[in-house]
Amino acid sequence: MRILKDAVYGFAVGDALGVPFEFQRRESFKCTDMVGDGTWNQVEGTWSDDTSMLLATCDSLKEHNAAIHLYDMMGKFEQWYTKSKYTAHNVRFDIGNTTAAALEQYLLGTAPVNCGLTDIFSNGNGSLMRILPLAFIPCNEDDIREVSSITHAHCLSKEACVIYVNIAKQLIQGESIQSILSNGSWKEPFERMGKLVQLSELDIKSSGYVIDTLEAALWSACTTDNYKDCVLKAVNLGEDTDTVAAIAGGIAGIMYGFEQIPSVWVDKLANKTLIDDCLF
Ligand SMILES: [Mg+2]
């Protein structure tokens, strides 16, 4: 049985692998190891907003005995946004537009449930990137949608979160990613989930659009057979490298376990004290 630690370390390592290559086009680089510098000029092992928001979510759930508390969760995102809490080196160096807009709404006094943007263009991967801890608590699909909606309230973002958490829950029970994808009943616009394993890299986009990110991450997971290959394949898709690799790495952590994450990468990972403090 997998635990939150498997998922969070898998996620953070994927994030850190992708950070130096964010926004770079496919085949304009080759990631083979955890390195520094690059897009954000960070030292190796530095993880980004994805892991920060994931940890803030974990911390909120931990404080409330695995119960969802939207005000507290949003308050912790605000501490990250305004005070750089939950960061690798006490600096916040990245944030998505929709997440920033939702947090500005919250700072104006809007209730969290009304902060998320609802338009079709607000479907970046910003809620998908923080939703994985919900696979480790008792919750239903409406709970997952509500947690998405405090930043991303359009139905596509909410359904992507539901799909990702449901897949993670099945992986925790020991099912294979291939059987989960092939046995699922997928409705448009998620109809490609059932045939991801047959798609080639040319068919996979890795942009920050939530469906592209979900497909790219799951494709990386279902076409590899170990943690390392999965996350490197995800990074090498290019574009939103850190988020795609983080989301792929989160489920690969569940699939293969913490022990299968290369220890040299875990050793390099920044601020493991904070990561461990947020685990439950
Ligand atoms: Mg990021």
Side-chain angles (χ1 to χ4, degrees):
M1 189 76 160
R2 299 302 186 196
I3 58 174
L4 183 63
K5 179 182 179 181
D6 300 301
V8 170
Y9 271 90
F11 188 99
V13 166
D15 186 2
L17 284 166
V19 161
F21 303 101
E22 190 176 6
F23 310 127
Q24 294 194 31
R25 277 187 301 110
R26 193 176 301 176
E27 288 174 358
S28 70
F29 68 95
K30 183 79 178 171
C31 175
T32 58
D33 203 353
M34 190 175 278
V35 297
D37 302 320
T39 305
W40 296 100
N41 201 25
Q42 298 290 316
V43 296
E44 60 184 10
T46 302
W47 35 266
S48 71
D49 53 333
D50 308 61
T51 301
S52 293
M53 297 198 82
L54 187 87
L55 292 175
T57 303
C58 290
D59 198 29
S60 180
L61 295 172
K62 182 178 186 175
E63 270 186 27
H64 294 87
N65 296 316
I68 296 166
H69 192 300
L70 296 182
Y71 267 95
D72 182 75
M73 199 176 279
M74 198 66 160
K76 286 181 166 47
F77 297 161
E78 187 217 327
Q79 288 179 10
W80 162 69
Y81 182 53
T82 61
K83 299 192 177 72
S84 294
K85 200 178 173 189
Y86 305 108
T87 54
H89 305 293
N90 298 315
V91 179
R92 177 179 64 74
F93 61 89
D94 194 8
I95 188 167
N97 296 335
T98 302
T99 297
L103 282 162
E104 289 296 330
Q105 276 299 317
Y106 179 70
L107 288 169
L108 292 172
T110 306
V113 74
N114 295 320
C115 286
L117 278 69
T118 56
D119 63 283
I120 185 79
F121 300 106
S122 295
N123 278 308
N125 49 30
S127 63
L128 183 64
M129 70 162 71
R130 60 176 169 80
I131 207 73
L132 186 57
L134 270 64
F136 293 88
I137 65 163
C139 66
N140 63 35
E141 294 187 350
D142 281 339
D143 296 328
I144 299 166
R145 292 183 184 101
E146 197 166 65
V147 171
S148 172
S149 72
I150 62 177
T151 58
H152 292 65
H154 188 273
C155 62
L156 284 183
S157 286
K158 292 193 283 190
E159 293 318 304
C161 288
V162 167
I163 289 170
Y164 184 55
V165 171
N166 281 342
I167 289 173
K169 284 181 173 177
Q170 293 171 79
L171 291 170
I172 292 166
Q173 298 300 322
E175 288 189 50
S176 80
I177 183 80
Q178 291 84 6
S179 73
I180 295 166
L181 291 172
S182 63
N183 294 332
S185 59
W186 307 105
K187 297 189 189 80
E188 204 255 332
F190 298 98
E191 73 279 1
R192 293 194 344 148
M193 296 294 150
K195 59 173 185 178
L196 274 182
V197 71
Q198 298 143 34
L199 299 183
S200 74
E201 189 182 81
L202 286 172
D203 297 315
I204 301 297
K205 295 179 194 162
S206 47
S207 79
Y209 174 49
V210 67
I211 296 181
D212 287 352
T213 300
L214 180 64
E215 286 187 356
L218 294 174
W219 178 80
S220 301
C222 75
T223 57
T224 49
D225 61 7
N226 62 82
Y227 177 86
K228 182 177 180 179
D229 287 351
C230 172
V231 286
L232 290 178
K233 195 168 190 174
V235 174
N236 285 314
L237 289 171
E239 292 195 51
D240 203 348
T241 50
D242 59 330
T243 305
V244 172
I247 290 170
I251 52 171
I254 296 172
M255 289 161 66
Y256 306 110
F258 175 80
E259 303 306 323
Q260 291 298 312
I261 303 172
S263 57
V264 61
W265 290 350
V266 174
D267 289 346
K268 286 181 180 177
L269 205 59
N271 207 348
K272 287 190 284 290
T273 305
L274 172 67
I275 294 175
D276 290 335
D277 280 348
C278 293
L279 296 177
F280 57 86

